[in-house]
Each structure stands twice: as C-alpha cells, then as structure tokens.
Amino acid sequence: MNEDLYIISPDAADLFKEEATLRSRGPATPVDALGLRAWSLTDPDLIKKLFIDPRISRDAQRHCPYLETEIKGKWPLEAWATIQSMLNADGADHKRRRDPARSTFTAHNVAKIIPAVEVIVSEQLDAMAAAASAGEPVDINKHFSEPIPVYVIAHVIGMPPHLAPAFQRLVSGMFSTTVSGEEASAFAAEFREMLSGLVALKRSEPADDLATKLVIARDRDNALSEEELIDNLFSLVAGGFETTVNMFNYAIVALLHDSEQLTHVREGRATWEDVTEEALRFATFPHLPIRFAAEDIPIDDGTTIQKGDSIIPAMGAASRHPKWHGENANDFDVRRPNKDHLAFGYGPHLCLGAPLVRAEGRIAFPALFDRFPDLQLAVHKDELPFKSSFISWGYQSVPVYLGAREKTEVPVR
Ligand code: HEM
C-alpha cells in the first residue's frame, strides 16, 4: 500500500466532502481509519465484484497478520473485526453461523411480524402525541425513530421490552468512533452480560423467537459455540437498530425540508417504498464492515490490494456514486429512476434484516405522515446535530412540531 493516506474523519464531520475526495482518488484508495491503514472502496461496481471474490475474507484471525498490534485497542474497529458472529466468517463457517437466524427474515416470516410492527408504530405515535405540549417541539428521534426499531428488534429476538432501552444505550456506544478505550470496553462487557442474561432466560423459558432459535442451534444442534451464540445476538441487536434509526430520521427530515418530495408521495407520483429505498442510500454505514485480502488482488486501475491488507468499504459513497446516480447523487429524490444502492452490502453477507427494514419503512412512514399531516421541522435542517461517528451517520435529534405552525416560526435560509 502506498503511503499517501487519506485520514478518515473519526466523527464524519463533513461526510459528503470526504466521500467526494475519496471517490476522486480512485475506486480503491489508501486511508487511515483511527490509525489503521486500510483500503477505502468507493466504486459500487468494484465493491460488488470484490464482495463475492473468495480472495476477500471477513476472518481477521486468519487473514489479518497485525490484528493484535494494529486493530486490538482501536475501538470500535476491534469490536467489529473480532466479533465471532456471522459477520466475521467466510464460506461454510459463515453459513453455519448465519443459517440459524436466516428463516426469521424470509418474506413469509417477515409478513408474520408485520402486525406487531403496526402495533409498535401505533403505540409510539400515541406516546409521541402524549409527550407533545401545546406549541412545543418534540424530538422525533427520541419518540419515533429510535423506539420503533428497538422495540421491533426486541420483539423479533424475544427480548423483554423493559430491557430494550438499556440495549439501545449500549448499541449507541458500539457505533461511536469518539469514545475512549475504557468506555468502549465497559460498553462491550455490559452488552455481553445482558445478552448472556437473555440466553439464560431463553434456556429456562423457550419461546417462538429468534433468540430461542439461536439457543437451540447451540444446545441441541451444536451448530454454534457459546461465544458465537452471544455474538450473533450482538450483531442482530446492533445491526437491527442504529442504521434503521438513521434511515427514519434522514427520510423524515428530507421530506419535511423539501415538501415537494412529500407531495410526490401524497399525490401518488412516488411510494413509501421509494422513500425507504432513497433513505437507505444515505443511512448505511459510511465506513464499514472491515474485510481482509487473503491474497494479492490486482484491480483494474493498476493498483494491487496486497495480501493481509485491510479493506473498509465506503457503502454510502458507493451508493451515492455519480456513476450510478449522476451529478445530483447526494440529493434526496424519491422520484429517482435508478433505485440501486449498496446500503445492505452485497453477496453472501448481504444484510439479513433487509426485508424487515423495508417492512418497517412501508408501515411507519405513512403512519407518521397520515397521523400528523401538518408535521413541521422546528429548526432548519442545517441546524440539526449529527452523530459523531464514521460508522453511524445520522441526525442526533430532530425537533418537530406535530401540528400546524405559522411558517414564519421555522428559520428560513
Ligand atoms: C437501515 C437499516 C440497515 C442497514 C443500512 C443495514 C446494513 C447492513 C450492511 C451494510 C451489512 C453488511 C453487509 C456486507 O458486509 O456485505 C449488514 C449486515 C447485517 N445486518 Fe443489516 N442493516 C440494517 C438493518 C438491519 C436489521 C433490522 C437487522 C436485523 C434485524 C440487520 C441484521 C444484519 C446482520 C445479522 C448482518 C450480518 C449478515 C452477515 O454477515 O451474514 N440489519 N447490514
């Protein structure tokens, strides 16, 4: 790898600018991510090619010679690179770890989850209405975007709902790229302790849920080790939450900021599915998940990714690449004719929860906008704070007025 490293901003302070720079440096470019040298991939066609290439591995133990010295201790890279879930396995091992969870997310089984999602959405809308005092803004992130995915994943996994808020706090820690090492280890330890408690509960009170399926795969079928069982749950809870929150927030802000977009949907020129797909192009991981070259891999532009090199794909930069979406690729446009994106990755590790996310969008967006037809941002979109993370990119809070307000109360730029 040459030494002309682009330093990835730990807090994704100006993500679109950073992504444009990365794209301008070629389809694969060397970067420094929290001190780790890695290849950033921004070309969507190259990502699709490499994600099904057997020379690329997810197994850091086997294919990352500097795991101990360069990755351990770098939060959250260490957590993401070493977690013993389906995320970090290849071939038959990957299939073994993924199979016990797979059936939960088939179209048929996701359809069975839909009534529960509808109840969760409806309850959250009631709770949000109750939380709003006359004339005061409410935070849609706190009352809608965060609780819906967390209660949905709690339902799917079989987590007692009262534990959901604690898991929510721990997941947010997993995605932060600006916490200290001590805070990070504390998060990971507490998260695993809670998951062990969940596994113990399912052993004593099995139920028709995903956690029980994984426990059976461990205890009856011997298909998972105890660590793989816990870490699969870890990936499912973490994967199922934070990105979905970002998707909700991004779409809501975009639709409220540019009311023409919302009008397209209300007047039938675009669908809530279009809204969800468009939001996904923005709400995916900016830089993750990490992979390793198991052999030298020459790529078309003449560079060679060398054996042992780390690869951190830029899924957002690729999903908003001008070669797929033209010069307005960074604009939120529900009528975009080409819906392609890599928000869920590609190939064997394609996001397991994708059908669930799509169902959540299809249900929650229309429910919100039908219930509150006069919803309005309480501040200009440019004033909304973003999370400090290059893994999870999204709004931290989104104050809105649920009812009609005078237009002049929203600062205009
Ligand atoms: C907007 C929401 C979501 C986005 C953008 C997203 C994105 C992703 C991405 C980019 C990957 C990695 C793919 C790769 O490396 O090729 C992934 C994997 C995964 N996601 Fe999601 N995800 C979302 C929601 C969910 C939900 C709701 C669940 C579960 C309920 C989930 C569970 C998983 C799991 C288990 C994996 C690992 C799959 C494997 O390695 O075989 N995700 N997701």
Side-chain angles (χ1 to χ4, degrees), residues 1 26 106 111 118 145 147 193 248 274 280 293 323-324 333 347 375:
M1 195 183 290
T106 59
E118 286 169 343
S145 305
E193 203 179 304
F248 280 138
D274 294 332
L280 284 166
K323 78 187 270 196
W324 273 14
D333 180 359
L375 202 63

Side-chain angles (χ1 to χ4, degrees), residues 51 58 85-89 94 98 101 105 153 156-157 210 232 235-247 280 283-285 288-289 291 313 315 342-354 356-357 360:
F51 276 25
R58 298 297 287 260
S85 71
M86 64 184 101
L87 199 65
N88 289 329
H94 172 244
R98 183 167 163 127
F105 298 98
I153 195 66
V156 171
I157 288 185
L210 180 52
N232 255 353
S235 289
L236 283 156
V237 177
F241 169 57
E242 182 90 6
T243 37
T244 316
V245 175
N246 294 338
M247 179 197 75
L280 284 166
T284 188
F285 306 110
L288 211 75
R291 286 159 161 84
M315 235 71 99
L342 292 176
F344 292 129
Y346 187 77
H349 289 273
L350 184 77
C351 175
L352 195 59
L356 180 63
V357 175
E360 287 183 65

Side-chain angles (χ1 to χ4, degrees), residues 27-28 39-43 46-47 50-51 305 311-315 318:
W39 290 94
S40 172
L41 309 179
T42 52
D43 182 307
L46 178 65
I47 290 182
L50 293 184
F51 276 25
I305 297 178
I311 299 165
I312 303 184
M315 235 71 99

